[in-house]
Amino acid sequence: MFLKFETGQSKQPPSHIWLRYHFGMWGTLRVNELKTISNSTLYRARYIQDPKPRVVLTFERGDFLAFYGCSVQQIDSPPILDDRTDVLQDSFNIGKSISFLRQEKPVCYLLLNQSHFAGVKNIVKNEALYSARIHPMQMGTSLSAEKALELVKAARNFAKTWVEDGTAYSPMGTLNIYCKKTCLLGHKVQRDMLGYGDFTRITYWCSLCQPLQSTVPSSELQAALQLPGTSGEKNPDVVDGSPNLPTAKKYPMVVLTETGPGSNIYA
């Protein structure tokens, strides 16, 4: 969610501040009410006191918005939205997405790039890779056009099913790999933080159903992944990475309001 605020004196041209609210997997927004143990099944089971909102925005007439479980960042401006990059839209550009996938980076990293796969988050990534039987750390350059298309279709299908059947705290009852101990065929599921560069996400995969195909990475990629033979020995399955997100910086810590004695709400 992107919100725009105007600042400055009345006699001067207003300046603008953009805030980006990222709800992640469990973030919520409440209107004119605060989350309490009594009105939240999730918190009632895990906490003994009322949860604290991340931010509360109060308006002139007394209405307010309470944000929970989200990150808040100040950005220069929101990204330009394009329906052709939204996996839920009929106008999604499949051809362009296939071309983007076929580059020399791990597919688990490429699939989370919101500039090309808007709407594909971590659970969708895991389920799509398992459905297409592709190892998370498989290089995109090793994918055939047919295999890349299979992966794109799997991501779109799962994302659409999630939107249609999901609930607030239980995305779907038919997850095949995410948070599972065994896959559909009974094989042990692997779990690790995988990605590229400084960007990693928890990843689940079956090493038997999703074998890593042999590829020879370039020297530049070897250095980035710290594969054996470069400086430092590191498991090639354990890598960092970062998707193409808008340039942002942490919003300064400012007390916005209070919900009770000693419970400051910070942005």
Side-chain angles (χ1 to χ4, degrees), residues 77-83 85 114-115:
S77 62
I80 299 175
L81 301 179
D82 186 352
D83 287 346
T85 65
Q114 298 302 293
S115 295

Side-chain angles (χ1 to χ4, degrees), residues 99-107 109-110 137-143 195-196 215-225 227:
S99 298
F100 177 78
L101 277 178
R102 300 177 69 190
Q103 56 179 299
E104 197 175 25
K105 292 179 181 177
V107 289
Y109 164 78
L110 297 171
M137 294 303 295
Q138 194 68 48
M139 293 296 107
T141 49
S142 68
L143 298 180
Y196 180 78
T215 57
V216 181
S218 66
S219 57
E220 178 183 354
L221 186 65
Q222 272 191 334
L225 301 184
L227 295 178

Side-chain angles (χ1 to χ4, degrees), residues 22 82 85-89 92 111-125 155-156 158-160 162-163:
H22 180 55
D82 186 352
T85 65
D86 188 338
V87 296
L88 296 176
Q89 299 296 325
F92 179 71
L111 204 54
L112 290 178
N113 189 304
Q114 298 302 293
S115 295
H116 294 270
F117 297 97
V120 173
K121 299 301 182 180
N122 199 43
I123 294 180
V124 179
K125 175 206 77 178
R156 296 191 70 199
F158 186 84
K160 290 180 178 180
W162 189 355
V163 170

Side-chain angles (χ1 to χ4, degrees), residues 41-101:
T41 303
L42 178 67
Y43 279 91
R44 185 165 61 245
R46 299 174 61 184
Y47 299 94
I48 60 175
Q49 62 181 356
D50 292 345
K52 301 295 190 296
R54 182 74 174 88
V55 172
V56 175
L57 299 179
T58 304
F59 303 93
E60 290 184 359
R61 297 182 179 180
D63 296 325
F64 65 89
L65 300 176
F67 295 81
Y68 291 87
C70 62
S71 65
V72 185
Q73 295 173 309
Q74 181 178 334
I75 61 175
D76 297 330
S77 62
I80 299 175
L81 301 179
D82 186 352
D83 287 346
R84 294 172 296 178
T85 65
D86 188 338
V87 296
L88 296 176
Q89 299 296 325
D90 293 336
S91 57
F92 179 71
N93 192 326
I94 294 178
K96 185 177 180 180
S97 66
I98 291 175
S99 298
F100 177 78
L101 277 178

Side-chain angles (χ1 to χ4, degrees), residues 34-45:
L34 296 174
K35 185 181 292 185
T36 65
I37 295 178
S38 60
N39 66 17
S40 172
T41 303
L42 178 67
Y43 279 91
R44 185 165 61 245

